[in-house]
Amino acid sequence: MNISYISFKEKKIMYIDYKSCKNSQEMLKVLEDVAAEFRKTNEQFLTLNDFTGNFGNDEFLKRAKELGPDIFDAKTLKSAILGITGVKKILLQAYNKFVKNKQVPFDTKEEALEYLAM
């Protein structure tokens, strides 16, 4: 499972691991799993998305933009993202234009966790 929970400074943070995905179909599967997790509860989430060493394509971005406003925005308190470099920054900017709760990029997991716990 690519979704786990981290307890950090008394906060529950959903950790979404895209690092191990080998292709866009696996990344889409993780995205759909996250959407399913969001749909299961009325809980609001702090999320940490880890794209280190991976890359989302146009199909992934399109689906994320579809799910963002309807699923993720309503239940996301804060969201951080790791592994955003180069062209991925452009994709992140495009995604952030479609959602209320922006993905904030960080260089390290520790920085991202500190941000989410504030």
Side-chain angles (χ1 to χ4, degrees), residues 10-59:
E10 300 181 19
K11 301 286 184 177
K12 179 181 174 184
I13 299 169
M14 180 190 289
Y15 178 71
I16 305 152
D17 182 3
Y18 290 96
K19 294 183 316 220
S20 61
C21 296
K22 294 174 181 54
N23 55 49
S24 61
Q25 294 305 326
E26 288 182 8
M27 292 184 74
L28 283 167
K29 167 86 170 75
V30 173
L31 182 64
E32 295 296 340
D33 289 347
V34 173
E37 187 78 6
F38 270 65
R39 287 181 185 115
K40 282 196 297 190
T41 180
N42 287 329
E43 183 179 354
Q44 291 196 305
F45 296 95
L46 298 169
T47 63
L48 176 54
N49 294 275
D50 193 344
F51 285 90
T52 303
N54 221 324
F55 186 75
N57 63 11
D58 289 339
E59 184 181 7

Side-chain angles (χ1 to χ4, degrees), residues 44 67-76 95 98-101:
Q44 291 196 305
L67 292 169
D70 295 331
I71 305 295
F72 301 133
D73 274 351
K75 294 184 181 179
T76 302
Y95 174 77
F98 289 91
V99 296
K100 179 179 72 175
N101 294 308

Side-chain angles (χ1 to χ4, degrees), residues 92-110:
L92 177 61
Q93 290 171 349
Y95 174 77
N96 277 342
K97 287 182 182 181
F98 289 91
V99 296
K100 179 179 72 175
N101 294 308
K102 310 300 183 208
Q103 295 272 339
V104 180
F106 290 91
D107 292 329
T108 68
K109 189 174 184 178
E110 292 73 26

